[in-house]
């Protein structure tokens, strides 16, 4: 991993009790323009890696999920004892038929000592960035050395962020695209060619994986699908499987998983939501914080078949919120929201109502 000029160590940040910083969608886009998307991704990946290396400090639990026939709404909380964060995020695959996005999100970073929020941030774009940065970070430990070509199966809203992250961190510039919706592949191709990627649109998943060192699956449908079967995949490749992220939603053939060395973020959550939900609990997986802390092996040979069964975990959102909070203080004036009541006497909250009535009568 290359280091970023942005401060990403685990120094706690504390609350300004009067106001809460706010990062809008436009603010994040402006911040990325000022920093540059490659530098932003490098700094974000470094922040995630730093937090994975201090994994034992974090509160960890499977996320809360409210499922409905059309999708899921989730809350993803965690704390390192100094700061607390949570993300609200949904996943509704049929939203695009109504002109809406499949995934939307916002998040909060707070000060544990006071309980006061520090930052309210958009996280629709930030989640896409942190998912891409996480995928490429894991690949830096698990993918074949000097990987050149990636198959990208599922070309929706996440696909370009995967492409930029893998090029930024691993130098992968050659992409083979496939989606059941040809318009999605054409959209992705047009966006990426504009930024210098070598892109081929393929007519099937089988065609897309030909010659690929890395295979990323990021499909959206909330169903048990089989995007990749064992007979399709040769030894030695790396599969970045990030589309299976809730109960009843998978992408990989069970036989393929049984052939591979499988790596996860937080095993307890991935057993519920990841592709390994198909397997018995006796099937052994490795949590990535152990690989990063050299407590377990990642890729050990060129012939090894490795799979990252990524479902997204709250620590990654914590890292992203902490990263942008520090970054925005360096590069842009802070917008603040009056989100917290601040009576002169903290034990007299009702005084705000009285003062407001007095001001209205005087006006």
């Amino acid at each position: 991993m290359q280091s970023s000029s942005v401060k990403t160590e685990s120094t706690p940040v504390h609350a300004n009790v009067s106001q809460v910083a706010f990062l809008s969608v436009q603010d994040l886009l402006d911040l990325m323009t000022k920093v540059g998307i490659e530098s932003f991704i490098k700094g974000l990946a470094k922040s995630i890696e730093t937090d994975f290396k201090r994994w034992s400090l974090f509160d960890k639990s499977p996320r809360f999920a409210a499922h409905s026939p059309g999708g899921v709404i989730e809350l993803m909380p965690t704390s390192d004892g100094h700061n607390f964060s949570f993300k609200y995020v949904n996943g509704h695959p049929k939203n695009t038929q109504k002109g809406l996005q499949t995934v939307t999100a916002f998040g909060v970073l707070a000060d544990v000592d006071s309980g006061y929020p520090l930052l309210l941030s958009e996280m629709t774009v930030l989640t896409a960035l942190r998912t891409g940065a996480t995928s490429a970070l894991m690949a830096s430990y698990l993918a074949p050395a000097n990987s050149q070509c990636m198959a990208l199966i599922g070309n929706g809203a996440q696909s370009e962020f995967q492409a930029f992250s893998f090029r930024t961190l691993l130098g992968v510039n050659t992409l083979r695209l496939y989606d059941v919706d040809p318009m999605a592949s054409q959209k992705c191709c047009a966006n990426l060619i504009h930024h210098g990627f070598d892109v081929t649109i393929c007519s099937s998943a089988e065609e897309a994986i030909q010659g690929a060192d890395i295979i990323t699956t990021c499909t959206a449908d909330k169903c048990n699908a089989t995007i990749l079967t064992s007979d399709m995949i040769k030894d030695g490749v790396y599969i970045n499987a990030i589309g299976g992220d809730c109960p009843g939603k998978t992408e990989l053939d069970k036989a393929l998983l049984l052939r591979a060395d499988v790596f996860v973020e937080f095993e307890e959550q991935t057993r519920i939501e990841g592709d390994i939900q198909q397997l018995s609990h006796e099937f052994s997986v490795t949590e990535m914080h152990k690989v990063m802390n050299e407590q377990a092996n990642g890729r050990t040979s060129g012939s090894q078949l490795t799979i990252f069964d990524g479902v997204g975990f709250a620590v990654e959102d914590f890292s992203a919120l902490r990263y942008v909070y520090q970054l925005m203080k360096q590069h842009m004036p802070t917008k603040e929201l009056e989100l917290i009541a601040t009576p002169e006497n903290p034990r007299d909250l009702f005084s705000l109502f009285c003062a407001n009535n007095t001001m209205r009568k005087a006006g």
Side-chain angles (χ1 to χ4, degrees):
M1 288 294 302
Q2 300 183 39
S3 62
S4 169
S5 61
V6 178
K7 185 178 181 181
T8 59
E9 62 266 22
S10 57
T11 304
V13 285
H14 300 288
N16 172 2
V17 297
S18 61
Q19 299 287 333
V20 177
F22 174 61
L23 188 71
S24 70
V25 174
Q26 189 60 54
D27 293 333
L28 179 59
L29 297 175
D30 290 344
L31 192 58
M32 289 172 59
T33 298
K34 289 181 181 181
V35 175
I37 187 169
E38 290 84 3
S39 293
F40 189 97
I41 290 170
K42 286 179 184 178
L44 178 53
K46 187 64 179 177
S47 181
I48 295 167
E49 184 179 48
T50 295
D51 286 338
F52 266 69
K53 286 184 175 180
R54 58 193 194 99
W55 188 260
S56 62
L57 300 180
F58 284 90
D59 296 332
K60 295 173 287 291
S61 64
R63 55 190 156 207
F64 168 81
H67 293 277
S68 64
V72 62
I73 295 173
E74 299 171 333
L75 294 177
M76 301 173 64
T78 192
S79 172
D80 68 349
H82 296 293
N83 294 118
F84 170 89
S85 74
F86 78 85
K87 182 174 76 175
Y88 168 101
V89 61
N90 78 296
H92 287 69
K94 291 183 172 58
N95 270 3
T96 54
Q97 299 172 16
K98 300 180 286 186
L100 303 174
Q101 294 180 87
T102 298
V103 175
T104 63
F106 67 89
V108 171
L109 182 69
D111 173 33
V112 167
D113 186 52
S114 67
Y116 273 59
L118 300 163
L119 172 67
L120 173 62
S121 176
E122 87 79 41
M123 289 199 75
T124 305
V125 179
L126 187 55
T127 293
L129 286 159
R130 78 88 161 126
T131 302
T134 298
S135 292
L137 171 63
M138 302 313 179
S140 71
Y141 290 92
L142 302 175
N146 303 312
S147 294
Q148 299 295 313
C149 177
M150 179 167 71
L152 194 49
I153 301 173
N155 303 151
Q158 174 60 209
S159 55
E160 292 90 346
F161 296 92
Q162 290 287 315
F164 266 96
S165 296
F166 274 84
R167 183 168 74 176
T168 298
L169 297 187
L170 280 79
V172 175
N173 195 63
T174 301
L175 303 171
R176 297 175 63 79
L177 308 182
Y178 172 68
D179 195 291
V180 293
D181 178 4
M183 295 294 292
S185 296
Q186 292 169 21
K187 174 272 304 179
C188 183
C189 180
N191 285 338
L192 295 176
I193 285 178
H194 179 70
H195 290 278
F197 286 88
D198 178 5
V199 183
T200 300
I201 296 178
C202 301
S203 59
S204 67
E206 291 86 349
E207 181 185 352
I209 66 175
Q210 296 304 310
D213 309 295
I214 297 168
I215 303 168
T216 289
T217 55
C218 53
T219 60
D221 282 347
K222 190 180 178 182
C223 64
N224 288 315
T226 304
I227 308 302
L228 300 177
T229 60
S230 183
D231 62 328
M232 292 169 60
I233 306 300
K234 65 181 182 180
D235 289 339
V237 302
Y238 168 61
I239 299 174
N240 173 43
I242 59 171
D245 57 3
C246 71
K249 184 172 186 280
T250 57
E251 296 180 313
L252 306 184
D253 178 29
K254 180 178 178 180
L256 176 58
L257 292 163
L258 293 172
R259 274 179 54 204
D261 292 318
V262 179
F263 299 83
V264 302
E265 293 136 316
F266 179 52
E267 181 176 351
E268 185 178 350
Q269 179 171 292
T270 311
R271 293 282 182 192
I272 299 168
E273 301 179 345
D275 272 277
I276 61 169
Q277 67 186 266
Q278 305 172 74
L279 306 181
S280 76
H281 282 244
E282 283 67 46
F283 180 79
S284 178
V285 299
T286 303
E287 292 186 337
M288 280 304 299
H289 68 93
K290 294 181 180 179
V291 177
M292 295 182 192
N293 283 309
E294 300 182 346
Q295 298 167 346
N297 291 324
R299 175 169 286 274
T300 57
S301 73
S303 61
Q304 186 181 12
L305 173 60
T306 52
I307 295 175
F308 172 56
D309 189 2
V311 298
F313 189 60
V315 170
E316 297 151 19
D317 300 313
F318 178 100
S319 305
L321 287 165
R322 183 170 60 83
Y323 175 64
V324 294
Y325 185 65
Q326 298 290 352
L327 201 61
M328 64 191 289
K329 291 196 294 185
Q330 294 182 28
H331 291 280
M332 62 195 308
T334 302
K335 290 182 179 178
E336 294 181 330
L337 296 177
E338 188 182 12
L339 192 64
I340 302 298
T342 53
E344 185 175 344
N345 178 353
R347 300 180 69 181
D348 188 7
L349 186 61
F350 191 75
S351 65
L352 294 177
F353 175 75
C354 297
N356 188 65
N357 274 355
T358 300
M359 290 176 62
R360 283 181 174 273
K361 290 177 181 178

